[in-house]
Amino acid sequence: MSFSPRVIALLGFGEAGSAIARGLCIEGGWRGPSKPGDNAPRRVIAIDTALDKDARGTALGKTARGLDVVIEGRYTEALREADLVICAVQGEFAHDAAAAAAPLLKKGAHYLDLCTITGKMSDEDRAEIEKGDGRYIDIAVMGGFFSQGIKAPMLVAGEDAAATVDWMNANGFVATLLGPKPGSASSVKMLRSTLVKGIEALGVEALVTAQRQGILEEVLGCLGDADAQTLRGFITMLVRTHVVHAHRRWEEMGLVAQTLRETGVDPLMTEAIERSHRRTVDAHIAPADGQVPSLEEALKILSEKVVRGV
């Protein structure tokens, strides 16, 4: 099924919305109001409830008008014109945006949810859109609009999302089809954040301690084993070997926490790691033969005997 929208509505005109508008209007030739003589104009409109309410709202209005994008501060009948709606509000306002937009959507309008939300929140947004006549598409933005603009990589999930991905890639986006299940793209982003933001927090804790001890370059320089493989391979290796070596690593983390305290650093992340490893130790899952399991086997053991909670 082909997909060829003529009117795009952006919900939210902050960093994400304005970057997308800039890519469409400047690079893709889209425009704001219809021009005399246009038989089938390709137009971009925007809605942002912060419009002209403060300095930021004034600035985003100026940005929109500079791109020739019609912008309004409330959800109006203008939304009925849109074939494609791109929601780029903050995650905490995603459901409110979906609920406000849903009654105004034309039949078959595609609703692309770019908000940073959980899979469950994505399901709630989809329910609102499908109450009306819209078609919900779950999108996880895997890059940064500030540095990459419309080229920020995106994962796309939803029924019949393939045509949407084709259209996006033909119009300046960088989109990858994840699958037919809405919410799965959002979940991928959330779990990626668990890894990336976890490493970020650990980096703060470890490198502040290293800097205070005068060994920053030495600590950074000892990461060659991680540098020698992909991040995917490194994390996979750690999870597999966790089943075998959790006890030794738990004991080590107790000493690591003591090291941080001696340096005056609160071992917030380190203590959490120590507790996590102790949970594995208490589950008594270490194989008698000391053999490292496959990733599939390790995850099955960890899910059933350590993490549990299902």
Side-chain angles (χ1 to χ4, degrees):
M1 181 185 297
S2 62
F3 177 59
S4 183
R6 306 306 299 180
V7 179
I8 297 175
L10 294 166
L11 308 185
F13 206 72
E15 184 174 288
S18 61
I20 293 170
R22 192 171 292 108
L24 291 170
C25 296
I26 295 178
E27 300 172 26
W30 290 70
R31 61 185 61 162
S34 298
K35 306 293 184 183
D38 281 346
N39 293 321
R42 299 190 309 160
R43 298 189 294 116
V44 178
I45 61 177
I47 296 171
D48 196 306
T49 56
L51 181 64
D52 294 330
K53 288 185 176 179
D54 52 22
R56 174 185 172 277
T58 300
L60 63 86
K62 182 178 179 180
T63 299
R65 289 184 282 272
L67 293 169
D68 202 19
V69 170
V70 175
I71 186 168
E72 299 192 41
R74 59 192 180 90
Y75 292 76
T76 68
E77 293 294 313
L79 195 55
R80 295 190 187 280
E81 302 176 41
D83 308 296
L84 173 65
V85 178
I86 301 176
C87 183
V89 302
Q90 294 181 31
E92 61 184 306
F93 304 119
H95 187 262
D96 291 343
L104 299 170
L105 298 180
K106 67 163 60 174
K107 185 174 180 61
H110 286 50
Y111 186 93
L112 276 56
D113 195 347
L114 272 62
C115 305
T116 300
I117 53 178
T118 69
K120 183 175 183 294
M121 292 167 70
S122 176
D123 289 341
E124 293 169 351
D125 289 357
R126 177 165 59 93
E128 291 290 348
I129 297 304
E130 292 181 351
K131 282 179 187 176
D133 293 317
R135 300 176 65 181
Y136 182 87
I137 306 291
D138 170 34
I139 295 188
V141 181
M142 308 303 286
F145 285 107
F146 178 78
S147 59
Q148 297 171 291
I150 198 172
K151 300 293 185 184
M154 300 181 188
L155 295 179
V156 183
E159 296 178 8
D160 301 320
T164 303
V165 169
D166 290 342
W167 178 87
M168 292 175 72
N169 287 327
N171 285 270
F173 295 85
V174 177
T176 301
L177 180 64
L178 184 64
K181 183 182 177 183
S184 60
S186 294
S187 291
V188 168
K189 181 169 184 177
M190 291 295 101
L191 296 177
R192 180 183 185 274
S193 291
T194 297
L195 294 169
V196 175
K197 272 63 172 185
I199 293 172
E200 174 188 343
L202 288 167
V204 170
E205 196 162 289
L207 297 190
V208 166
T209 304
Q211 189 273 336
R212 288 185 180 181
Q213 292 192 11
I215 53 172
L216 178 60
E217 288 304 317
E218 288 80 1
V219 169
L220 291 172
C222 75
L223 298 173
D225 56 333
D227 291 338
Q229 55 188 306
T230 64
L231 181 59
R232 170 178 175 155
F234 187 65
I235 291 172
T236 298
M237 177 274 294
L238 290 175
V239 172
R240 291 177 60 200
T241 58
H242 177 81
V243 173
V244 179
H245 299 301
H247 192 283
R248 174 176 59 78
R249 292 172 180 172
W250 161 65
E251 291 180 334
E252 181 179 326
M253 292 313 295
L255 297 174
V256 173
Q258 183 176 333
T259 298
L260 267 64
R261 292 189 195 97
E262 291 172 354
T263 314
V265 174
D266 182 9
L268 183 66
M269 293 296 295
T270 301
E271 286 180 342
I273 296 168
E274 187 180 2
R275 290 196 303 274
S276 176
H277 280 62
R278 179 56 191 259
R279 178 179 64 176
T280 302
V281 171
D282 290 343
H284 303 290
I285 62 169
D289 60 6
Q291 295 300 302
V292 175
S294 68
L295 179 62
E296 183 178 358
E297 293 169 340
L299 291 175
K300 185 175 187 296
I301 293 168
L302 292 168
S303 178
E304 293 177 356
K305 298 184 178 181
V306 179
V307 179
R308 294 189 282 187
V310 176

